[in-house]
Amino acid sequence: MDPLSTLWETFFDADSMREALPEMLTVGLPNTLILAISAALLGSVLGMALAVAGISRTRWLRWPARVYTDVFRGLPAAATILLIGVGLAPLGMQVWGPNPYPLGILALSLIAAAYIGEIFRSGIQSVEAAQLEGARALGLSWGEAMRLVIVPQGIRRVLPAWVNQLIALIKDSSLVYFLGLLASQRELFRIGQDYAANTGNQSALLLAGLFYLTLTVPLTHAVNWIDRRLRHGRQAPPGDADDDLDLALPGAAGGNQR
């Protein structure tokens, strides 16, 4: 058989895609979003705590934060998910029953926190020291200055990098299938795998990949737009610059009238 024909029939079979589409829309897509968004929120909270600890002057806060970051950034994501999901499975069975999602979300959050913590730390440290000195001169404590002045500016500067981490989480959510999922708990990749195994055709896996593209490509362009907006600011509408120039000129607003 022609290799191109084989490739087309194996990965681009419309009937196989049509068969898997309803379950991917109703089961896979919601579960993928639950995993990614939950891990992003929890990982951001943990990441901020790591960032603050990482820049602390107290070494008993700074050193554990550094060790945590090195360990969870160095381990493969699959190894971390198996370590948390399988190692804590007995505890999970006692607390919430045979549902791997909480442990899967916890594992993804721990991974994300290591990366997000470094993102936040770099953003906070990029804020000029004069900002902190000025806030302290106005009577704010160190904690108030960090919370009200430094941290908001730092987060604003690294917002594109944070969105990039969300994109990575969406893709890493496919690794939760290692923990074993019920039919109603399967995410996009697992559903594609099951259809491919049952039919012998890989088109459902390609369809799952198209779903990931649909989720990540708009976020990628959003990152680029946010980055341009933060670097260049909002452009003034036509005419505003001329108005500002007129106001700045001597004699404007009737000054040349005699």
Side-chain angles (χ1 to χ4, degrees):
M1 186 178 292
D2 183 13
L4 290 179
S5 300
T6 303
L7 178 67
W8 184 265
E9 292 177 2
T10 303
F11 289 97
F12 297 92
D13 184 67
D15 292 334
S16 297
M17 291 185 178
R18 194 178 302 112
E19 182 181 356
L21 181 60
E23 195 166 6
M24 286 195 177
L25 283 172
T26 59
V27 178
L29 182 59
N31 286 333
T32 295
L33 292 176
I34 289 172
L35 286 169
I37 294 175
S38 300
L41 294 176
L42 183 56
S44 296
V45 174
L46 295 175
M48 179 56 69
L50 287 172
V52 174
I55 62 176
S56 173
R57 297 177 180 178
T58 305
R59 62 181 180 178
W60 302 115
L61 292 176
R62 190 173 63 252
W63 289 1
R66 173 51 54 191
V67 171
Y68 177 96
T69 301
D70 290 343
V71 169
F72 280 94
R73 289 180 69 186
L75 285 174
T80 302
I81 291 173
L82 286 173
L83 180 66
I84 301 297
V86 177
L88 299 181
L91 178 61
M93 288 287 293
Q94 296 177 3
V95 177
W96 49 71
N99 185 357
Y101 262 41
L103 291 178
I105 291 173
L106 176 60
L108 290 174
S109 301
L110 294 176
I111 297 169
Y115 291 93
I116 294 175
E118 286 296 284
I119 291 172
F120 285 163
R121 183 182 63 81
S122 63
I124 293 171
Q125 290 184 324
S126 71
V127 179
E128 296 78 8
Q131 297 276 348
L132 180 60
E133 294 171 359
R136 295 299 302 273
L138 292 174
L140 298 179
S141 65
W142 186 88
E144 291 174 336
M146 291 294 294
R147 179 169 54 88
L148 299 176
V149 179
I150 305 301
V151 171
Q153 293 187 67
I155 292 177
R156 183 174 180 267
R157 295 183 180 187
V158 297
L159 190 58
W162 182 88
V163 178
N164 279 328
Q165 188 58 39
L166 176 59
I167 293 173
L169 276 174
I170 291 174
K171 294 183 291 185
D172 286 346
S173 65
S174 63
L175 299 175
V176 176
Y177 84 91
F178 288 148
L179 304 182
L181 301 174
L182 300 177
S184 60
Q185 298 169 341
R186 294 176 299 169
E187 34 70 45
L188 288 169
F189 184 75
R190 184 60 184 177
I191 292 176
Q193 270 194 327
D194 288 345
Y195 274 94
N198 293 333
T199 63
N201 190 284
Q202 308 299 314
S203 300
L205 275 175
L206 178 62
L207 180 61
L210 294 177
F211 269 95
Y212 285 111
L213 283 176
T214 303
L215 293 173
T216 58
V217 169
L219 284 174
T220 302
H221 288 286
V223 168
N224 296 333
W225 180 83
I226 292 171
D227 186 47
R228 288 194 301 268
R229 187 70 175 270
L230 294 178
R231 283 189 290 111
H232 301 297
R234 182 178 180 182
Q235 294 182 352
D240 286 2
D242 296 337
D243 296 341
D244 294 339
L245 182 60
D246 292 341
L247 292 174
L249 289 174
N256 291 330
Q257 297 179 1
R258 297 185 183 276

